[in-house]
Amino acid sequence: MLELLASEYRTYAQDIVVIAVCGAALLWGGAPERIIAASWLIFFELTGLIYKNFIRSEGYQLQGVDAFLATTDFLVLVIWVIVALYANRNYPLWIAGMQLLAMTAHLARGMSEAISPIAYLFLIVAPGWFQLIFLAAGVSRHVMRKRKYGEYRSWRYVRNAVKLDLPGERKKSWSALLSKRKVVAQDEAR
């Protein structure tokens, strides 16, 4: 596998695997799988093609870090962390963790010039392969679970979640909220 990471055909091989895995996720996956696959296709494949063909220039380098790639990695990190926190699956945590590793590579490259370009490339490319493996495993587990047990929920439900105060709503103090909970608890006890 290490030869594939250093090969000139790496991008073609990864594109084939991406199309297969993301296509399977879009066809047979639940909402978390579809969000992860769609964000991969939009942020890495589509914007990657646009960047490679129309935007790429040496002027977008900041401290040796490609600002466009770092920005797309950060946006995908935010999306995948949100999916990982609320999905009723475990593998999105691993995918988000791998994306955090890739994002950390951008930060390390920006802070230190001593990082070799090969190490920087490896820290950005290698997590993508693991993310595809985790997504493929997650889609296959989803399909097997769905066949065995039928439909199941895609998202975790949080009990006693704090409701956010939206603009225009009347805000209550913490003491008013706590006293209201005590009254409700006393009514339930009766």
Side-chain angles (χ1 to χ4, degrees):
M1 182 168 164
L2 290 177
E3 296 85 21
L4 187 59
L5 289 175
S7 169
E8 63 188 59
Y9 301 109
R10 175 192 57 81
T11 56
Y12 300 118
Q14 190 169 13
D15 286 343
I16 291 169
V17 173
V18 163
I19 290 169
V21 171
C22 289
L26 291 172
L27 285 174
W28 299 303
E33 290 85 6
R34 289 181 180 153
I35 291 171
I36 291 171
S39 61
W40 182 294
L41 292 173
I42 290 168
F43 284 101
F44 294 144
E45 299 300 319
L46 183 64
T47 59
L49 286 173
I50 292 169
Y51 178 67
K52 186 168 51 172
N53 294 324
F54 302 111
I55 300 174
R56 187 170 222 152
S57 169
E58 293 300 319
Y60 289 96
Q61 298 285 322
L62 298 172
Q63 298 286 337
V65 176
D66 192 332
F68 183 82
L69 294 177
T71 303
T72 56
D73 277 349
F74 178 73
L75 292 173
V76 170
L77 174 67
V78 170
I79 292 169
W80 287 353
V81 165
I82 292 170
V83 169
L85 291 176
Y86 292 104
N88 191 25
R89 290 127 169 85
N90 291 327
Y91 78 91
L93 291 168
W94 289 96
I95 292 175
M98 290 291 117
Q99 189 62 26
L100 182 63
L101 180 65
M103 191 64 219
T104 306
H106 292 299
L107 294 174
R109 177 72 173 176
M111 290 183 187
S112 174
E113 294 178 15
I115 296 176
S116 75
I118 294 170
Y120 178 55
L121 177 69
F122 185 78
L123 286 172
I124 292 173
V125 172
W129 286 100
F130 288 108
Q131 289 167 336
L132 289 173
I133 291 168
F134 291 137
L135 181 59
V139 170
S140 65
R141 292 287 300 147
H142 169 72
V143 169
M144 289 189 299
R145 195 177 307 118
K146 198 170 171 183
R147 282 184 191 159
K148 187 173 183 178
Y149 300 112
E151 290 291 328
Y152 66 101
R153 67 179 189 230
S154 294
W155 304 105
R156 293 183 178 126
Y157 296 108
V158 181
R159 292 185 195 160
N160 299 328
V162 176
K163 184 180 176 189
L164 298 175
D165 291 326
L166 299 173
E169 290 185 2
R170 196 175 95 187
K171 296 183 179 183
K172 298 179 183 178
S173 67
W174 283 105
S175 58
L177 288 173
L178 292 175
S179 65
K180 187 175 184 180
R181 281 193 172 181
K182 288 179 184 175
V183 171
V184 171
Q186 290 172 353
D187 288 340
E188 288 176 357
R190 291 183 197 165

